[in-house]
Each structure stands twice: as C-alpha cells, then as structure tokens.
Amino acid sequence: MRMSRSPIEPGSTVDERSLTAVSGDQVAVPDPDRLIHLQFRRFAGCPVCNLHLRSVVRRHREIEAAGVREVVVFHSPAEELAPHTADLPFAVVADPARRLYAEFGVERSPRALLSPRAWGPVVRAVLSGVGNVVRGREHLPSTSPHGGRLGLPADFLIAPDGRVLTAKYGEHVYDQWSVDELLELAARRDAQTIDRVADAEH
C-alpha cells in the first residue's frame, strides 16, 4: 500500500526539523555539519531490523569517520522501543503515527515478507535473534507489533543543506543499503555523481 505522498527523489530538499530520539535527545535533520543517513525500519524488536542494525553498530566508528550521522526511525511507540535500543550508539526515533513514513513516501506491502529474496535473511534473523534473546542481548518483539509487520525499509542520504543526495526504497524486508554501500555513497558527496552511481546499480 502506497502512503499518501510520492517518494522522495534525489535533488529534493528536506525541510529543517528537530526530531526527538527515544533517549530524549533532539536530532537536527538536516545536520549542519554532517551527512544524515535517515533509515526507516519496522517495529520494535523486529528480528530482520536487528540483523541489519548489528552490522551498523559494528562499523559505527567507520560511519562517523566518513562524516555520516545515523538516524533510525521505527513505527513503534517510544516506550516499546526503549528496551530494544538502549545500547545503540545512534539516534532512534519513534514515529507511531507514521508521519515521517508518509512524508517520505515509505510503503507497507505484503511483499515485505512474501518476496523469496526476503526468506533467507528472515530465517537468519530469527535464528540469530533467538540466540541473542537466550543470551540476554536482545528482547523478544511484541506478538502484535504496533503498525503491523508489513513495513518496507527505506534509506536516504541527506546533505547539510537539506538536499537528498540519493534514496533507496526497499523491495522487501531486508532490502537496504549495506554499510559498504553507505560508505561508498558518502564518499561521493556531489549529487550528480551519486545519481550516476545509483543509476548504474539498477
């Protein structure tokens, strides 16, 4: 199901705003000094989201050194997110009313889970998540998560002047930029160069 607004295109300008992270900190988007990697995830404790975010955590110093600030949005309430995000080294924003999702044109669709390309990551995520829950490293997600289970991921790289340098709308639940892809895009801060790289990948 398409949200009420069209997707954000490279070259679009994001309005200045201050987002409140689950930690209570205020997050300026855009950031006047750094690129913002704004990524939309799903619900609190989502195993597939956790699988991806662990890769971001492992390489967070590299990401920061590249001049990128991570801001991660979930469609769960802050009180549901807090137990799952306390140890994350980047800002996590709760958007239970999905206002940011609508503004950025981020979808919900059955293909999030039905795409065969999602099945392998889903199995890996569940097996890894069970192990981490047993070890006390993660918490179980709700059996009926706020906003449902059909959200698709999305990534946006936003320049300090608010320009969207490039964007990715996921076709299934595990279709997002890897850390290597993010670092490559961040190294090409010229919008035209980034657009050519993104077009060549499709």
Side-chain angles (χ1 to χ4, degrees):
M1 179 177 68
R2 173 68 64 186
M3 302 301 288
S4 59
R5 184 163 168 171
S6 298
I8 300 291
E9 299 289 344
S12 302
T13 300
V14 172
D15 293 335
E16 293 183 10
R17 83 279 310 280
S18 181
L19 303 177
T20 302
V22 173
S23 64
D25 295 333
Q26 295 299 302
V27 183
V29 177
D31 187 300
D33 302 312
R34 294 176 285 181
L35 298 173
I36 288 279
H37 175 209
L38 182 65
Q39 55 171 303
F40 288 82
R41 307 307 308 175
R42 303 191 322 136
F43 54 87
C46 161
V48 179
C49 304
N50 289 345
L51 182 67
H52 172 63
L53 290 179
R54 282 196 293 272
S55 71
V56 176
V57 170
R58 285 194 297 270
R59 302 181 65 183
H60 189 243
R61 289 185 180 179
E62 288 180 68
I63 295 170
E64 285 194 316
V68 178
R69 181 174 189 182
E70 289 286 346
V71 180
V72 184
V73 182
F74 284 83
H75 58 67
S76 294
E79 58 270 22
E80 289 185 16
L81 281 169
H84 299 276
T85 60
D87 296 330
L88 295 181
F90 40 75
V92 175
V93 175
D95 184 24
R98 301 184 70 97
R99 293 189 179 93
L100 288 170
Y101 289 80
E103 178 180 345
F104 282 82
V106 181
E107 293 181 321
R108 288 178 285 189
S109 172
R111 72 176 185 273
L113 296 173
L114 295 179
S115 171
R117 291 176 294 171
W119 298 345
V122 168
V123 171
R124 292 201 311 273
V126 170
L127 293 176
S128 175
V130 168
N132 284 323
V133 168
V134 170
R135 297 182 188 94
R137 297 175 182 172
E138 292 182 9
H139 300 270
L140 286 171
S142 169
T143 55
S144 56
H146 184 94
R149 300 178 181 274
L150 300 181
L152 288 165
D155 296 85
F156 303 88
L157 193 62
I158 303 171
D161 63 3
R163 283 179 304 126
V164 176
L165 298 180
T166 190
K168 178 181 179 65
Y169 289 91
E171 293 296 323
H172 58 80
V173 68
Y174 201 68
D175 185 20
Q176 69 272 307
W177 291 333
S178 68
V179 174
D180 284 337
E181 288 171 319
L182 171 63
L183 294 176
E184 182 179 354
L185 291 168
R188 294 167 168 80
R189 299 192 179 203
D190 176 78
Q192 291 182 346
T193 301
I194 287 180
D195 287 347
R196 287 198 296 270
V197 171
D199 289 343
E201 293 174 348
H202 292 294

